[in-house]
């Protein structure tokens, strides 16, 4: 595996592969890798492309009171993991390499970035779309992989690529969970044993809500209320949001008649966890 923290060198290495006719696949991450990231990498490998993984904790997407400073980092462990996973090139730029001067240019996907996580984290998605477009311009991949754990991010990136005619394909990868249902996240390391146990209520309430929809419940507000009650009854988690929205464009839903996204964000102590489920419905006859 090759690795570099330098944009010029990265461009040279990728250009050589492109000259040989290789397709390039990119898996952008913030590191502290887990099985979720490794599944994205497996998907990238399966395309037969030259696989580039980026690791960059992007300050631009963290608010002033968020966890940028304490976000977990372990580059050497990550480098071992990606090498074992058969990655071709690891790109791990410094903040100075990515942002040598204060940024005055941003990419913004309006509307989609105002709801769900965007409502509680102003500027977050602008930071994400800006750094992802920089990575797309630096690496120039043919395919890029994003996890549906961050479903809103996945939709926003797809929309950015479509609106700006960026010459690549975006592929989504389903959420990877622990055996007990907890969605894998780099932030799970911050949970105490007790909080981790309580956090299981997130995936469980999503599964139960899906069951209610499958059994005929069509009211989005009832589903949200059901999840809210379940979480407050069985945990100390503080709800940021629980929302049922259209799975294609995140628009408001009153009656569930098309595929919906049930998305939630809940704080356990100082750790904010997100989870979601897409539920398809049979049209009523
Ligand atoms: P992060 O390092 O948290 O920014 O995540 C990098 C990529 O991995 C993003 O596309 C995430 O959506 C994806 N990802 C993180 N956790 C999971 C998971 N549990 N299942 C699937 N994809 C994930």
């Amino acid at each position: 595996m090759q690795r570099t923290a330098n944009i010029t060198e990265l461009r040279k290495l990728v250009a050589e592969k492109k000259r040989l006719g290789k397709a390039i696949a990119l898996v952008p991450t913030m590191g502290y890798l887990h099985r979720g990231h490794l599944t994205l990498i497996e998907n990238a490998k399966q395309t037969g492309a030259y696989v580039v993984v980026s690791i960059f904790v992007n300050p631009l997407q963290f608010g002033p009171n968020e966890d940028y400073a304490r976000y977990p980092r372990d580059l050497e462990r990550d480098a071992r993991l990606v090498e074992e996973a058969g990655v071709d090139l690891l790109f791990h730029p410094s903040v100075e390499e990515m942002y040598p001067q204060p940024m005055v240019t941003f990419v913004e996907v309006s509307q989609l970035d105002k709801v769900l996580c965007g409502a509680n984290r102003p500027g977050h998605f602008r930071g994400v779309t800006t750094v992802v477009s920089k990575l797309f311009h630096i690496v120039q991949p043919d395919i890029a992989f994003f996890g549906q754990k961050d479903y809103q991010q996945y939709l926003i990136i797809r929309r950015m690529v479509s609106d700006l005619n960026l010459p690549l394909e975006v592929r989504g990868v389903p959420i990877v969970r622990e055996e007990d249902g907890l969605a894998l996240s780099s932030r799970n390391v911050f949970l105490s044993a007790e909080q981790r146990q309580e956090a299981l209520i997130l995936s469980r309430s999503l599964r139960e809500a899906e069951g209610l929809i499958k059994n005929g419940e069509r009211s989005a507000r009832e589903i949200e209320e059901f999840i809210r009650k379940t979480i407050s009854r069985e945990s100390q988690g503080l709800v940021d949001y629980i929302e049922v929205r259209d799975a294609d464009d995140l628009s408001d839903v009153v009656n569930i008649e098309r595929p919906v996204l049930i998305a939630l964000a809940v704080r356990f102590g100082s750790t904010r966890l997100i989870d979601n489920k897409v539920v398809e419905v049979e049209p009523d006859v």
Side-chain angles (χ1 to χ4, degrees):
M1 184 184 73
Q2 292 175 295
R3 58 187 275 186
T4 182
N6 181 276
I7 293 172
T8 310
E9 194 183 340
L10 179 288
R11 282 190 192 281
K12 230 175 75 199
L13 291 167
V14 171
E16 275 167 24
K17 298 300 164 189
K18 287 207 169 205
R19 255 199 311 278
L20 296 171
K22 269 277 194 190
I24 310 296
L26 173 65
V27 180
T29 81
M30 298 206 298
Y32 214 72
L33 303 178
H34 52 64
R35 209 155 37 78
H37 300 110
L38 295 176
T39 305
L40 265 61
I41 291 170
E42 268 166 39
N43 278 266
K45 289 277 297 171
Q46 275 164 17
T47 65
Y50 179 78
V51 176
V52 182
V53 169
S54 63
I55 294 182
F56 180 61
V57 185
N58 173 34
L60 214 59
Q61 71 188 67
F62 288 80
N65 297 317
E66 293 183 358
D67 57 354
Y68 174 70
R70 76 159 193 162
Y71 195 85
R73 295 161 169 89
D74 190 342
L75 180 60
E76 289 319 308
R77 173 178 163 277
D78 287 347
R80 279 197 301 279
L81 286 174
V82 291
E83 175 143 35
E84 280 165 25
V87 165
D88 296 299
L89 174 57
L90 172 61
F91 178 49
H92 53 90
S94 64
V95 172
E96 295 69 35
E97 184 73 3
M98 288 296 276
Y99 301 119
Q101 56 192 352
M103 289 287 279
V104 291
T105 309
F106 300 92
V107 178
E108 192 172 319
V109 177
S110 61
Q111 296 173 27
L112 286 179
D113 70 343
K114 299 292 182 300
V115 299
L116 302 176
C117 283
N120 292 296
R121 302 182 71 187
H124 167 66
F125 285 114
R126 188 180 79 154
V128 171
T129 42
T130 300
V131 80
V132 169
S133 13
K134 278 170 73 79
L135 288 168
F136 284 173
H137 283 100
I138 292 167
V139 178
Q140 301 188 19
D142 300 284
I143 321 173
F145 289 83
F146 290 86
Q148 291 175 351
K149 156 94 185 333
D150 302 275
Y151 191 89
Q152 182 177 15
Q153 167 176 287
Y154 162 67
L155 280 193
I156 286 176
I157 302 284
R158 286 188 75 95
R159 187 59 190 261
M160 171 181 85
V161 164
S162 158
D163 280 359
L164 297 180
N165 304 92
L166 301 186
L168 72 135
E169 184 193 334
V170 174
R171 291 207 195 151
V173 175
I175 301 179
V176 179
R177 299 180 179 281
E178 303 281 8
E179 231 161 63
D180 58 13
L182 184 69
L184 291 175
S185 162
S186 305
R187 289 188 170 98
N188 289 351
V189 292
F190 294 133
L191 298 171
S192 68
E194 196 179 321
Q195 287 169 338
R196 195 200 167 290
Q197 195 56 32
E198 287 201 354
L200 295 179
I201 197 59
L202 305 187
S203 55
R204 212 185 86 207
S205 61
L206 286 169
R207 278 199 310 276
E208 290 177 3
E210 177 182 43
L212 292 178
I213 297 172
K214 296 284 182 204
N215 283 325
E217 178 60 66
R218 290 291 176 268
S219 161
R221 299 296 88 76
E222 285 296 325
I223 293 295
E224 291 165 355
E225 208 37 45
F226 166 79
I227 299 176
R228 188 176 299 277
K229 280 191 185 137
T230 309
I231 291 175
S232 71
R233 191 177 61 234
E234 301 196 22
S235 80
Q236 315 263 351
L238 290 178
V239 172
D240 257 14
Y241 67 79
I242 298 166
E243 290 191 34
V244 175
R245 287 186 169 267
D246 185 282
D248 291 328
D249 61 11
L250 303 184
S251 59
D252 290 333
V253 171
V254 177
N255 290 313
I256 302 171
E257 284 154 0
R258 294 172 16 86
V260 287
L261 169 74
I262 316 176
L264 49 79
V266 178
R267 286 169 201 279
F268 291 87
S270 56
T271 308
R272 181 176 176 279
L273 299 182
I274 57 172
D275 200 347
N276 70 75
K277 189 172 266 300
V278 174
V279 183
E280 318 260 341
V281 280
E282 304 293 330
D284 286 329
V285 277

